[in-house]
Amino acid sequence: MTTVPREAHLPALDEHHRGEAGHELQATLVELVDLSLIGKQLHWNIRGRPFKPLHEHLDELVDSWRDLSDTVAERAVAIGVAPDGRAATVAAGSGIDPVETGSLDTDTALQELVTRLADVTERIRARMDRLGEVDLASQDVLVEVVRELEKQLWMVRVSLPA
Ligand SMILES: [Fe+2]
């Protein structure tokens, strides 16, 4: 993570708070990008019934994670911190466990997704809490992310097999 050249538009955050907010946003960015990659991996590799609803639901989730990652990255730029969404950075920085290669049945895929989504949402919620002491506008971005992920978690959890 590098600091972009200081410009007049930057908000009045002190360096310490700018760095802290940038750190929390960057950590969230890599996990949202990783989620979107995992979502596509599952979208392509699930098999079994009911295939189509989960296949399509995964694409909706991927779209949402991509949109959220964009919002997070652009908040970082707005406070003067260059976001890093490169593949190597995502691979090194994401706390989400990779999924297995190859095809997997829809029930297993759902379970794998719920576990990862729950873990990452918990981490982003902790970042959201920390940002309350740092920068409320950046916190607001993570509030949006957490609200969306928790709604998604509810929806995928209720579709888990009994
Ligand atoms: Fe597709």
Side-chain angles (χ1 to χ4, degrees), residues 8 10 32 43-45 48 60 74 79 128 131 136 141 146 154:
L10 289 179
L32 288 169
H43 170 82
W44 295 320
N45 281 295
E60 282 173 30
E74 289 178 359
I79 63 168
M128 173 191 79
L131 281 177
L136 289 180
V141 170
V146 168
W154 154 51

Side-chain angles (χ1 to χ4, degrees), residues 40 43-44 55 59:
K40 271 296 186 189
H43 170 82
W44 295 320
H55 180 71
D59 251 358

Side-chain angles (χ1 to χ4, degrees), residues 81-124:
V81 175
D84 186 349
R86 295 174 299 169
T89 306
V90 172
S94 171
I96 306 173
D97 291 334
V99 291
E100 295 294 315
T101 54
S103 70
L104 67 177
D105 67 78
T106 48
D107 286 354
T108 307
L110 257 181
Q111 190 60 64
E112 300 279 299
L113 178 65
V114 166
T115 308
R116 285 164 180 78
L117 191 55
D119 286 350
V120 74
T121 302
E122 208 172 298
R123 286 194 293 276
I124 298 175

